[in-house]
Amino acid sequence: VVKRGVVRVVTPGTAIDSSMFSDASNNYLMAVAGREVGKSGKSGEKEMEFGISFLDISTGEFLTTQFTDSENFDKLLSELARMHPAECILPPSLYGNSELTGRLREQTIVQEFTPEVFGIEDAGEKLKTHFGVATLEGMGCEKLEFAVYSAWAALEYAKTTQMRDLSHINTLRTYSNTEFMVLDSITLRNLEIVKNVRDEGDENSLYRTLNCTKTPMGNRTLKKWLLKPLLSVEKINLRLNAVEELAEDSLLRYDIRDWLSDVRDIERLVGRIVYGNASARDLVALKKSLDVVPPLRDSLLEKARFEMLKEIAEGLASFSELEELAEMIEIAIVDEPPISVREGGMIKPGYSAELDEFRDISSNSKQWIAAFQQKERERSGIKSLKVGYNKVFGYYIEVTHANSSQVPEDYIRKQTMANAERFFTPELKEKESLILTANEKAVALEYEIFAEITRTLSARSRELQETAERIGTLDVLASLAEAAENNNYTRPQLTEDCKILIRDGRHPVVESTVSGGFVPNDTEMDCKENQFLLVTGPNMAGKSTYMRQTALVAIMAQVGSFVPASYASVGIIDQVFTRIGAFDDLASGQSTFMVEMVELANILNNASPKSLVLLDEIGRGTSTYDGYSIAKAVVEFLHNRGKVGVRALFATHYHQLTALEEKLKRLKNYHIAVKEDGHELVFLRKIVSGATDRSYGIHVARLAGVPEKVIGRANEILKELERENVLEEAEE
Amino acid sequence: VVKRGVVRVVTPGTAIDSSMFSDASNNYLMAVAGREVGKSGKSGEKEMEFGISFLDISTGEFLTTQFTDSENFDKLLSELARMHPAECILPPSLYGNSELTGRLREQTIVQEFTPEVFGIEDAGEKLKTHFGVATLEGMGCEKLEFAVYSAWAALEYAKTTQMRDLSHINTLRTYSNTEFMVLDSITLRNLEIVKNVRDEGDENSLYRTLNCTKTPMGNRTLKKWLLKPLLSVEKINLRLNAVEELAEDSLLRYDIRDWLSDVRDIERLVGRIVYGNASARDLVALKKSLDVVPPLRDSLLEKARFEMLKEIAEGLASFSELEELAEMIEIAIVDEPPISVREGGMIKPGYSAELDEFRDISSNSKQWIAAFQQKERERSGIKSLKVGYNKVFGYYIEVTHANSSQVPEDYIRKQTMANAERFFTPELKEKESLILTANEKAVALEYEIFAEITRTLSARSRELQETAERIGTLDVLASLAEAAENNNYTRPQLTEDCKILIRDGRHPVVESTVSGGFVPNDTEMDCKENQFLLVTGPNMAGKSTYMRQTALVAIMAQVGSFVPASYASVGIIDQVFTRIGAFDDLASGQSTFMVEMVELANILNNASPKSLVLLDEIGRGTSTYDGYSIAKAVVEFLHNRGKVGVRALFATHYHQLTALEEKLKRLKNYHIAVKEDGHELVFLRKIVSGATDRSYGIHVARLAGVPEKVIGRANEILKELERENVLEEAEE
């Protein structure tokens, strides 16, 4: 008796019979996970954090991503439109959102699915088990909780409906869909974009090299641009046009940067004004910052030729109350006000008649007291009689003990000192009260005036912040122009193809620190014959610097900066991947090689035809044969990835890999030239086409003082190996 | 016409004709450089810093060393006696020292030689040029200025007399002649003896693991012992006997450690006493520390069986005044004195009659004042009359305004307050002066007594310091015993041969931090069949830990500590050399490989038959062929060094090196066992005899998430390579 049961459930997203869908396109199951994550600062709108996955069980293709979306689900819906899934599954929490479900249903079939998974961590563990991996880092989604959750939901739904093994789904690719080049934390570190590796400071970083900004807004904006280079040729050219204009018109640039020197941190000043903890000094700083806007604006309105500078000028001009607000501060607040807003001294005379009157009373008191003292001296006949003041007792009349007999009867004793006695009269006390009250009232009125001014400014906080933003952008553009002029950079060309052509490229940071002049090098990459550059050469010769400078020139170009080269053309890069350097960590116990492999896996899983990959010494952390096998398989994989391959710079000590040039048509060999000069090795630091003949390791050993006997024997062994040329022939 | 000239000068130290000297021994030229470096702390004797070199131009052997010597040149003369040079050259500065020259002349021929060298730096440069190296680090004498100077003088003298090329002199060996095992800074770092690599703190260091000391002296002494393990089996056994005794007699150990808990930093306390900046609290601390000596001493005198503990007991007993000094402090100083020594309150009542009298006056004042107040109340009839004191005006009589009419006539007004007036009488002022003077005098007398006591203690500073030293030594011995008991260590055997036998050895630090239990391993080394252990195995399997634990067990044994093993026998090691781990330093620009080679060169040049060498992944930093060639040449060199070879642990990824077992008779292959369990790699962490068959690099890549396609291809390539087994056969 055979027990019958459901063998398979066919759903639109999990169909595998080709009859059910076109061969020309994928048949995706889409899974969504997500949560509301609070409101965005500016608009006050709700924000959603979504993880979505697309699984094609017919091909095994499996993609995931995670992003922040608006409350209208703009990005989610555009991904849906782009990918055309046959079916979309949602967890109950999202399925209950009728607006979301409704919008999704316009384009696809929507199902509720309750995966039996207890929390995100569990999903990650189950995915790892499925793929037989120790970490999801190699797939690039270890830290994307909703991406992981959606991927697991998709896989589980497929399993539930298919009721069979899904082992052909053996990899998961994390992609990101943005308008910016992706620079992950590893790449930011390896290329030292905003921090150096040594102490995490900004010395020797690209940021420090390019930073000629004059304002805090400019400084912050430059950092943002460097962390998020653009992908749109058009938008990059807008920036480059502005930079070029400012680079060429050095008078205009000089003026702008001179004006910007007077600008304080408007963003933070306005922040303090809005949150009610600004001081009068902050208002003066704001006023001084606003003072430079009119000349800046007028100068730009007159001279700017290109769109971006024009837009900045027009934007600045659109804030019509700007001069009014600056004048308001100018009229009201003294030039150097005190720190405290509760002790007076902030408001200029002439601003408020009432305040002036209070102040009169207060300041005339000196005169009155002098007159009173004179009067009392005459009345009592005591020439040494003095009127004084202290905080505890207020005003008093002081008479020395010697004169105490002459004290008028109406004096009231207040205090006896060693040499004198202190008295007061009702008249003095009355005046005292008037003086002190006037002071108090003046201080209170000053604060009221100050608060009124900050309220007026607060009401214009949006325009003020926009002005700050425009000044920041202008500052970065002027800074990039200044850096371009100072460092002899040239304007790069940006293209939609995949060529990278650099003539006389330099490493922007190293060129300024290296002694004896930096040796420029060319780079020539495309998707045909020069897609994969295999670089060999001895240690210390500059392989790493060369690879890094190529990536840095491309990143600078996409930031909108001029670049250190005599000519550069960059085909837009969507992500720079790097696997460089080994950082042994004895204490943590994690093997260098595992780290290397996880970083490599991430690259292999996620690099696209538009990416640029830098790989340094892949496979060095394991045995020779293993490492060589992995390195060779990686070269072949990247070269052939998705049939069109990936642009890559690959430095290696496995010189035998250079033989691949014969077999892989888009791979080219390069090496760094070295001259032997007697005992010395001279590193020419020039990249040269073709494979290198020697690695000079034994030479370095000799320079380090390794005994001659060892050197001689090592050379013998090497000659044997080279005669046999074993690794290279192994596969012939 | 042939111009005749001197072709060669024959001197005793530069002879090369074998007829001139015996074949059985070297014919050394000795060169000395040096300078007086000030006086030693204890003896007040002058100290000399000497660099000496021995050059045998017949064989090319060239040795150098540097050391600090006494004003009697003890070490210099013992080196002279040991090496029997045929000739000794001195620079003019030393040649002029007739005592030195006289002593040298008793044993060899002494010549003055003025090398034309301008300073030490020049000598270093000339040596580098001669050897064709970029640094002298690889020879181990980069920082030994006198050694370098003497080496260059020897070479120059040889050149001057030989008038020909001396290129056969191609290496310089730095040796050190001491009673301690040499642990250089690289080895201290790699083995984490007193600091960890991660943050240079002492966490996870051997020092932290072993430190159960109770006193600051013990703490410092333990560190010193760890930095300087002993070479003499006899001296080590003295320590081990004491440790064993204390480990076995846990009651005695418990008592000793309990007493030691009360001991403060006697060394520093005595230092402050001698330099005159001790406080009375320091004396109390010293007294409390000294109090534990008698019970400690008596207990040891009664129970100690072995020499070292007996010596400590007798040493402590030899300080006969100890109890007297403690009693002196006890009698004089109060239990909790103030910090200041100038404000009184330090000396106990009854110690000085004069002091007691001054104090009486001062303390009786309260009574007197109370009586005075009562008397004045009665006299004036003012019940609220009070006698008070303040710092500015001294003692006063206070009467409220309400009672001012009743104030007696002899009262003198001093101050008027809000509610009262203050007065004094001549009687009150007189008493005041007496009270205040008595106080001053008491304070001055207290300081005098305190100073007298510190003078008495100062006169016994030598005995006190010796006591501190003995307590420190006892503390370390008890600490080692405690650590041995807590961690289940066993007593090692020390031998003069070159065997290292460890059963169930553990890494003392890792065993306490690893979760899931540490897997013990055996080590078996000798100078016959097991001198050179070649260790293969995958990453993360524990090769490094195994190598380190072997060295650490040996170091602990020579320190006099019990060791983490079930049995251990260690043939005395004169120096542990390590070359482990790569620390890429992108910023400094120095290549990892150059660093690796310099460290390697130092090992190859300086390892002796009594050394232990740990080498991890030599050659990884250069190309495959180069690296393999260097690694293989290094194995051969160390195996055959000085015909007897060097004990070494050599971990490598070049699995092909395991074939050397066939050729090198003292080399043995080992690997670390790994079990494959489906997708998982299980590291058994057990060292096993024989070569490993796999390195699992590709397996790790799979675990890291490298795509299946790459893994599959890498396996294919690997199989090809293994089939050809190319590196191994290259030389057949």
Side-chain angles (χ1 to χ4, degrees):
Chain A
V1 192
V2 178
K3 196 183 172 193
R4 285 174 171 265
V6 180
V7 176
R8 213 178 120 203
V9 179
V10 176
T11 75
T14 57
I16 53 166
D17 296 327
S18 58
S19 62
M20 293 184 71
F21 52 86
S22 148
D23 266 355
S25 62
N26 281 97
N27 189 59
Y28 287 118
L29 165 68
M30 176 180 183
V32 183
R35 189 178 65 194
E36 203 177 294
V37 290
K39 300 185 178 186
S40 99
K42 276 189 183 171
S43 58
E45 273 190 2
K46 279 186 293 185
E47 282 188 346
M48 300 289 296
E49 185 76 19
F50 282 121
I52 60 176
S53 294
F54 296 95
L55 172 62
D56 184 340
I57 60 168
S58 64
T59 64
E61 190 179 349
F62 198 3
L63 304 167
T64 191
T65 190
Q66 182 167 331
F67 50 84
T68 307
D69 206 350
S70 71
E71 64 181 350
N72 299 323
F73 322 118
D74 297 326
K75 284 190 200 163
L76 179 68
L77 294 169
S78 89
E79 276 306 285
L80 178 70
R82 199 169 69 84
M83 299 293 284
H84 286 305
E87 182 175 8
C88 176
I89 57 169
L90 298 176
S93 61
L94 294 177
Y95 193 78
N97 183 329
S98 57
E99 182 168 347
L100 173 63
T101 324
R103 299 292 298 273
L104 292 171
R105 284 220 164 97
E106 289 167 12
Q107 294 192 50
T108 188
I109 292 159
V110 179
Q111 309 276 5
E112 181 177 11
F113 178 62
T114 312
E116 283 181 35
V117 67
F118 304 100
I120 307 283
E121 272 166 40
D122 210 26
E125 284 309 313
K126 294 205 171 197
L127 277 180
K128 283 189 235 172
T129 306
H130 175 85
F131 292 119
V133 295
T135 165
L136 295 174
E137 274 177 71
M139 297 179 172
C141 55
E142 176 84 8
K143 285 170 186 161
L144 304 176
E145 49 175 352
F146 295 115
V148 167
Y149 193 82
S150 69
W152 184 78
L155 195 65
E156 193 64 14
Y157 186 71
K159 274 190 192 160
T160 309
T161 53
Q162 298 298 298
M163 298 180 184
R164 62 190 192 89
D165 181 37
L166 294 173
S167 62
H168 69 297
I169 300 165
N170 54 31
T171 189
L172 176 61
R173 196 186 138 203
T174 306
Y175 73 100
S176 73
N177 186 23
T178 128
E179 51 190 314
F180 303 110
M181 180 197 280
V182 178
L183 295 172
D184 60 26
S185 59
I186 294 161
T187 296
L188 289 174
R189 192 195 64 193
N190 283 335
L191 298 180
E192 301 186 297
I193 300 289
V194 293
K195 293 183 209 168
N196 65 47
V197 168
R198 194 170 41 81
D199 64 2
E200 305 241 299
D202 63 14
E203 210 186 334
N204 290 326
S205 68
L206 179 61
Y207 158 70
R208 172 74 87 93
T209 302
L210 290 181
N211 189 6
C212 305
T213 60
K214 291 283 191 180
T215 71
M217 290 81 75
N219 193 331
R220 288 193 291 269
T221 307
L222 174 62
K223 225 176 226 176
K224 272 183 221 154
W225 286 20
L226 288 174
L227 292 173
K228 290 182 152 188
L230 301 175
L231 295 182
S232 152
V233 172
E234 197 187 340
K235 285 185 185 165
I236 296 168
N237 278 327
L238 287 178
R239 289 186 183 173
L240 285 171
N241 286 340
V243 172
E244 182 169 358
E245 189 171 347
L246 291 170
E248 283 174 359
D249 192 342
S250 50
L251 276 179
L252 176 61
R253 186 176 78 248
Y254 180 87
D255 282 349
I256 289 175
R257 287 166 45 77
D258 196 31
W259 284 316
L260 290 175
S261 309
D262 290 328
V263 175
R264 299 288 167 278
D265 197 337
I266 301 180
E267 286 177 344
R268 300 230 162 115
L269 291 172
V270 172
R272 284 210 288 274
I273 287 165
V274 170
Y275 288 106
N277 54 3
S279 73
R281 287 190 183 179
D282 291 336
L283 300 198
V284 173
L286 178 64
K287 187 239 147 199
K288 282 185 181 159
S289 303
L290 295 181
D291 279 351
V292 308
V293 174
L296 252 183
R297 177 193 64 200
D298 298 342
S299 183
L300 283 177
L301 280 173
E302 181 194 341
K303 294 188 180 169
R305 287 177 295 133
F306 287 107
E307 199 175 340
M308 204 159 171
L309 292 183
K310 276 188 183 168
E311 267 185 8
I312 290 170
E314 284 155 14
L316 291 175
S318 72
F319 184 18
S320 54
E321 296 101 328
L322 180 139
E323 277 139 306
E324 208 174 288
L325 293 178
E327 207 191 333
M328 175 183 72
I329 299 171
E330 167 70 31
I331 291 170
I333 309 289
V334 299
D335 292 346
E336 291 183 4
I339 294 171
S340 167
V341 297
R342 300 283 188 182
E343 293 179 8
M346 302 184 287
I347 308 300
K348 278 187 179 165
Y351 184 79
S352 154
E354 198 183 357
L355 176 63
D356 289 349
E357 199 186 320
F358 288 132
R359 281 176 169 170
D360 263 357
I361 295 168
S362 178
S363 67
N364 286 341
S365 62
K366 258 194 183 166
Q367 262 175 282
W368 187 90
I369 293 291
F372 177 78
Q373 175 173 292
Q374 190 52 36
K375 192 182 79 183
E376 292 301 309
R377 277 183 186 174
E378 282 162 15
R379 181 160 80 98
S380 65
I382 306 168
K383 287 197 175 146
S384 64
L385 177 149
K386 275 190 299 192
V387 177
Y389 175 82
N390 78 34
K391 284 212 166 182
V392 182
F393 298 114
Y395 288 97
Y396 55 80
I397 303 161
E398 190 171 285
V399 179
T400 58
H401 288 312
N403 296 308
S404 56
S405 58
Q406 284 171 268
V407 169
E409 294 213 337
D410 60 339
Y411 277 22
I412 300 156
R413 181 184 288 161
K414 202 170 190 174
Q415 201 182 7
T416 303
M417 313 297 290
N419 299 319
E421 287 196 283
R422 289 176 177 174
F423 305 88
F424 62 92
T425 68
E427 185 188 10
L428 182 60
K429 278 294 131 183
E430 198 180 331
K431 192 67 188 178
E432 176 184 302
S433 149
L434 198 69
I435 293 168
L436 296 180
T437 316
N439 244 337
E440 261 170 43
K441 283 184 181 163
V443 166
L445 185 54
E446 284 206 45
Y447 183 73
E448 210 170 276
I449 294 167
F450 171 77
E452 178 59 31
I453 292 171
T454 59
R455 272 195 297 278
T456 311
L457 291 169
S458 263
R460 289 288 168 272
S461 63
R462 195 177 52 79
E463 291 91 336
L464 287 167
Q465 293 294 34
E466 283 169 3
T467 300
E469 215 175 297
R470 289 185 180 110
I471 288 176
T473 305
L474 179 65
D475 192 12
V476 175
L477 294 169
S479 169
L480 290 176
E482 180 78 11
E485 286 295 292
N486 290 347
N487 304 324
N488 198 23
Y489 294 165
T490 52
R491 176 172 178 157
Q493 308 297 316
L494 279 302
T495 65
E496 296 285 2
D497 61 26
C498 59
K499 285 183 190 162
I500 299 176
L501 293 173
I502 302 170
R503 291 273 165 262
D504 306 317
R506 287 119 53 201
H507 189 297
V509 178
V510 175
E511 74 163 331
S512 66
T513 58
V514 82
S515 57
F518 187 90
V519 179
N521 271 307
D522 297 348
T523 305
E524 190 172 340
M525 299 182 89
D526 54 42
C527 301
K528 291 174 188 163
E529 293 175 353
N530 299 289
Q531 189 180 38
F532 198 106
L533 309 190
L534 191 78
V535 186
T536 46
N539 269 285
M540 299 191 283
K543 295 195 297 290
S544 272
T545 302
Y546 176 69
M547 298 207 300
R548 285 190 178 90
Q549 85 184 33
T550 300
L552 286 171
V553 165
I555 289 168
M556 287 170 76
Q558 289 185 229
V559 162
S561 168
F562 281 26
V563 297
S566 64
Y567 171 84
S569 167
V570 175
I572 292 294
I573 293 166
D574 67 352
Q575 178 158 10
V576 175
F577 289 96
T578 57
R579 164 55 223 163
I580 296 176
F583 295 87
D584 275 337
D585 187 347
L586 295 175
S588 82
Q590 194 176 18
S591 148
T592 317
F593 185 64
M594 184 71 185
V595 172
E596 180 184 332
M597 285 301 110
V598 166
E599 293 184 14
L600 176 66
N602 181 40
I603 295 170
L604 297 180
N605 286 318
N606 295 315
S608 87
K610 287 196 146 301
S611 303
L612 176 67
V613 173
L614 310 187
L615 293 174
D616 197 4
E617 308 294 354
I618 287 300
R620 209 174 87 178
T622 184
S623 79
T624 318
Y625 283 2
D626 268 24
Y628 175 76
S629 304
I630 291 168
K632 186 168 178 179
V634 165
V635 174
E636 292 176 357
F637 180 83
L638 283 174
H639 181 274
N640 298 327
R641 190 172 206 284
K643 294 191 181 119
V644 294
V646 176
R647 284 172 294 183
L649 287 152
F650 190 102
T652 187
H653 279 135
Y654 296 115
H655 290 185
Q656 296 71 33
L657 289 176
T658 56
L660 284 169
E661 196 179 42
E662 305 284 312
K663 295 183 189 167
L664 303 177
K665 62 179 178 176
R666 294 186 297 276
L667 182 147
K668 278 279 172 304
N669 287 326
Y670 282 90
H671 70 278
I672 310 235
V674 171
K675 199 175 74 180
E676 280 181 87
D677 186 4
H679 273 307
E680 296 285 321
L681 272 189
V682 181
F683 297 110
L684 302 177
R685 305 197 182 278
K686 200 77 194 168
I687 187 112
V688 182
S689 175
T692 183
D693 50 345
R694 293 194 50 187
S695 84
Y696 302 96
I698 297 173
H699 209 114
V700 172
R702 185 202 302 271
L703 283 179
V706 169
E708 275 306 322
K709 204 171 158 186
V710 176
I711 299 296
R713 177 66 182 134
N715 272 321
E716 265 176 49
I717 298 168
L718 180 64
K719 266 184 205 134
E720 272 302 318
L721 290 172
E722 284 175 343
R723 197 171 52 73
E724 306 268 338
N725 209 359
V726 281
L727 276 178
E728 200 170 324
E729 284 170 19
E731 289 172 278
E732 304 300 314
Chain B
V1 194
V2 178
K3 197 184 170 192
R4 285 172 171 261
V6 181
V7 175
R8 209 177 124 205
V9 178
V10 177
T11 74
T14 57
I16 52 168
D17 296 325
S18 58
S19 64
M20 293 184 71
F21 53 86
S22 149
D23 266 356
S25 64
N26 281 98
N27 190 57
Y28 288 119
L29 165 68
M30 176 182 184
V32 183
R35 189 177 66 196
E36 202 177 296
V37 291
K39 299 183 179 186
S40 99
K42 278 190 184 169
S43 57
E45 273 190 3
K46 277 187 292 186
E47 282 188 345
M48 299 289 296
E49 185 75 20
F50 283 119
I52 60 176
S53 294
F54 296 94
L55 173 63
D56 184 340
I57 60 169
S58 64
T59 63
E61 189 179 350
F62 198 3
L63 305 167
T64 191
T65 191
Q66 183 167 329
F67 51 85
T68 305
D69 205 351
S70 70
E71 65 180 347
N72 299 322
F73 322 118
D74 298 324
K75 284 191 199 163
L76 180 68
L77 293 169
S78 88
E79 275 306 286
L80 178 71
R82 198 170 69 86
M83 299 293 285
H84 285 306
E87 183 175 5
C88 176
I89 57 170
L90 297 177
S93 60
L94 294 178
Y95 193 78
N97 183 330
S98 57
E99 182 168 344
L100 173 64
T101 324
R103 299 293 298 275
L104 291 172
R105 284 218 164 100
E106 290 168 12
Q107 294 191 51
T108 188
I109 293 159
V110 179
Q111 310 276 4
E112 181 177 9
F113 178 61
T114 312
E116 282 182 33
V117 66
F118 304 100
I120 307 284
E121 273 167 41
D122 210 26
E125 283 310 313
K126 294 206 170 196
L127 277 181
K128 284 189 234 173
T129 306
H130 175 84
F131 292 120
V133 296
T135 163
L136 295 175
E137 276 177 71
M139 298 178 171
C141 56
E142 178 84 7
K143 287 170 185 159
L144 304 176
E145 49 175 353
F146 295 114
V148 166
Y149 193 81
S150 69
W152 183 79
L155 195 66
E156 193 65 13
Y157 186 72
K159 273 190 191 158
T160 309
T161 53
Q162 297 299 299
M163 298 181 186
R164 66 192 188 87
D165 181 37
L166 294 174
S167 61
H168 71 295
I169 300 166
N170 53 32
T171 189
L172 175 63
R173 195 185 140 205
T174 305
Y175 73 100
S176 71
N177 186 27
T178 124
E179 49 190 315
F180 303 110
M181 180 198 280
V182 178
L183 296 172
D184 61 26
S185 60
I186 295 162
T187 296
L188 289 174
R189 190 195 66 194
N190 284 335
L191 297 180
E192 302 187 298
I193 300 288
V194 293
K195 294 183 208 166
N196 64 48
V197 168
R198 194 170 41 81
D199 64 3
E200 305 242 300
D202 65 13
E203 209 184 337
N204 290 327
S205 68
L206 178 62
Y207 159 69
R208 173 75 88 92
T209 303
L210 291 182
N211 188 6
C212 304
T213 60
K214 292 283 192 179
T215 71
M217 288 82 74
N219 193 331
R220 289 193 290 269
T221 306
L222 175 62
K223 223 174 226 176
K224 271 182 221 155
W225 285 18
L226 287 173
L227 293 172
K228 290 182 153 189
L230 301 175
L231 296 183
S232 151
V233 172
E234 196 187 341
K235 285 185 185 165
I236 296 168
N237 278 327
L238 287 179
R239 289 187 184 172
L240 286 171
N241 285 340
V243 172
E244 182 169 355
E245 188 171 347
L246 292 169
E248 284 176 359
D249 191 342
S250 49
L251 275 179
L252 176 62
R253 185 175 80 247
Y254 180 87
D255 282 347
I256 288 175
R257 285 166 46 77
D258 195 32
W259 285 316
L260 290 175
S261 309
D262 289 329
V263 175
R264 300 287 166 280
D265 198 337
I266 301 179
E267 286 177 345
R268 299 226 164 119
L269 291 171
V270 172
R272 285 210 286 275
I273 288 166
V274 170
Y275 288 108
N277 52 5
S279 73
R281 287 190 183 180
D282 290 337
L283 300 199
V284 173
L286 177 65
K287 185 241 150 198
K288 283 185 181 159
S289 305
L290 295 181
D291 279 350
V292 308
V293 175
L296 252 183
R297 178 194 63 200
D298 297 343
S299 184
L300 282 177
L301 280 174
E302 181 195 341
K303 294 187 181 171
R305 285 178 296 131
F306 287 108
E307 196 175 341
M308 205 160 170
L309 293 182
K310 275 188 183 169
E311 265 184 9
I312 290 171
E314 283 155 15
L316 292 174
S318 72
F319 183 19
S320 54
E321 296 101 330
L322 180 139
E323 276 139 305
E324 207 176 288
L325 293 177
E327 206 192 333
M328 176 183 70
I329 300 171
E330 168 71 30
I331 292 170
I333 310 289
V334 300
D335 292 346
E336 291 184 3
I339 294 172
S340 167
V341 296
R342 299 283 188 182
E343 291 178 10
M346 302 185 286
I347 307 300
K348 278 186 180 164
Y351 185 79
S352 153
E354 198 182 357
L355 176 63
D356 289 348
E357 199 188 320
F358 288 132
R359 280 177 170 167
D360 263 358
I361 296 168
S362 179
S363 66
N364 287 339
S365 62
K366 257 192 183 166
Q367 260 174 283
W368 187 90
I369 293 292
F372 177 79
Q373 178 174 290
Q374 190 51 35
K375 189 183 80 185
E376 292 301 310
R377 278 184 186 172
E378 282 163 16
R379 182 160 78 99
S380 65
I382 306 167
K383 286 195 178 150
S384 63
L385 177 148
K386 275 188 299 190
V387 177
Y389 176 80
N390 78 33
K391 284 213 167 184
V392 181
F393 298 115
Y395 288 96
Y396 56 80
I397 304 161
E398 192 172 283
V399 178
T400 57
H401 288 313
N403 294 307
S404 56
S405 59
Q406 285 173 268
V407 167
E409 293 213 337
D410 61 337
Y411 277 22
I412 300 155
R413 181 184 289 160
K414 203 171 186 175
Q415 204 182 5
T416 303
M417 312 298 290
N419 299 320
E421 288 197 281
R422 289 175 177 175
F423 305 87
F424 63 92
T425 67
E427 185 190 9
L428 182 60
K429 278 294 129 182
E430 199 181 331
K431 192 70 188 177
E432 177 186 302
S433 148
L434 197 67
I435 293 168
L436 297 179
T437 316
N439 245 337
E440 259 170 44
K441 283 184 180 162
V443 165
L445 185 54
E446 284 207 46
Y447 182 73
E448 211 170 277
I449 294 167
F450 171 78
E452 179 59 33
I453 293 171
T454 59
R455 271 194 298 277
T456 310
L457 291 169
S458 262
R460 289 288 168 272
S461 63
R462 194 177 54 79
E463 289 92 336
L464 287 167
Q465 292 295 34
E466 282 168 3
T467 300
E469 216 174 296
R470 289 186 180 110
I471 288 176
T473 305
L474 179 64
D475 193 11
V476 175
L477 293 169
S479 169
L480 290 176
E482 180 78 11
E485 286 293 293
N486 291 346
N487 304 322
N488 197 22
Y489 294 164
T490 52
R491 176 174 178 155
Q493 307 298 317
L494 279 302
T495 65
E496 296 285 3
D497 61 28
C498 57
K499 284 184 189 160
I500 299 177
L501 294 173
I502 301 170
R503 291 274 167 263
D504 305 316
R506 288 117 55 199
H507 189 297
V509 179
V510 175
E511 75 163 329
S512 66
T513 58
V514 81
S515 58
F518 188 90
V519 179
N521 271 308
D522 297 348
T523 305
E524 189 173 341
M525 300 183 89
D526 54 42
C527 301
K528 290 175 187 163
E529 292 175 353
N530 300 289
Q531 188 179 39
F532 197 106
L533 309 189
L534 192 78
V535 187
T536 46
N539 269 284
M540 301 189 283
K543 295 197 295 293
S544 272
T545 301
Y546 176 70
M547 298 206 301
R548 285 189 179 90
Q549 86 185 31
T550 301
L552 286 171
V553 165
I555 289 168
M556 288 170 76
Q558 289 186 226
V559 163
S561 169
F562 281 24
V563 298
S566 65
Y567 172 84
S569 167
V570 175
I572 292 295
I573 293 166
D574 67 353
Q575 178 157 11
V576 174
F577 289 95
T578 57
R579 164 55 223 164
I580 295 174
F583 295 87
D584 275 338
D585 186 347
L586 295 174
S588 84
Q590 194 176 19
S591 149
T592 317
F593 185 64
M594 184 69 183
V595 172
E596 180 184 332
M597 285 300 111
V598 166
E599 292 184 11
L600 175 66
N602 181 39
I603 296 170
L604 298 181
N605 286 317
N606 294 314
S608 86
K610 286 196 146 300
S611 303
L612 176 67
V613 173
L614 310 187
L615 293 173
D616 197 3
E617 307 296 355
I618 286 302
R620 210 174 86 178
T622 185
S623 78
T624 319
Y625 284 2
D626 268 25
Y628 175 76
S629 305
I630 292 169
K632 186 166 176 179
V634 165
V635 174
E636 293 176 354
F637 179 82
L638 283 174
H639 181 273
N640 299 327
R641 191 172 205 282
K643 293 190 183 121
V644 294
V646 176
R647 284 172 292 182
L649 286 152
F650 191 102
T652 187
H653 279 134
Y654 296 115
H655 290 184
Q656 296 70 32
L657 289 177
T658 56
L660 284 170
E661 196 178 41
E662 305 283 313
K663 296 183 191 168
L664 303 177
K665 63 178 179 176
R666 294 186 298 274
L667 183 146
K668 276 281 172 304
N669 287 326
Y670 283 90
H671 71 277
I672 309 234
V674 171
K675 198 175 73 182
E676 279 181 89
D677 185 3
H679 273 306
E680 297 285 320
L681 271 189
V682 180
F683 297 111
L684 301 177
R685 305 199 182 277
K686 200 76 195 170
I687 188 112
V688 181
S689 176
T692 182
D693 50 344
R694 292 194 51 187
S695 85
Y696 300 95
I698 298 173
H699 208 113
V700 171
R702 184 202 302 271
L703 283 179
V706 168
E708 276 304 323
K709 204 171 156 185
V710 175
I711 299 297
R713 176 66 181 132
N715 272 322
E716 265 175 51
I717 298 167
L718 180 63
K719 267 184 206 135
E720 272 301 318
L721 289 172
E722 283 176 343
R723 198 169 50 73
E724 306 268 337
N725 209 358
V726 281
L727 275 179
E728 199 171 324
E729 285 170 17
E731 288 173 276
E732 305 300 313

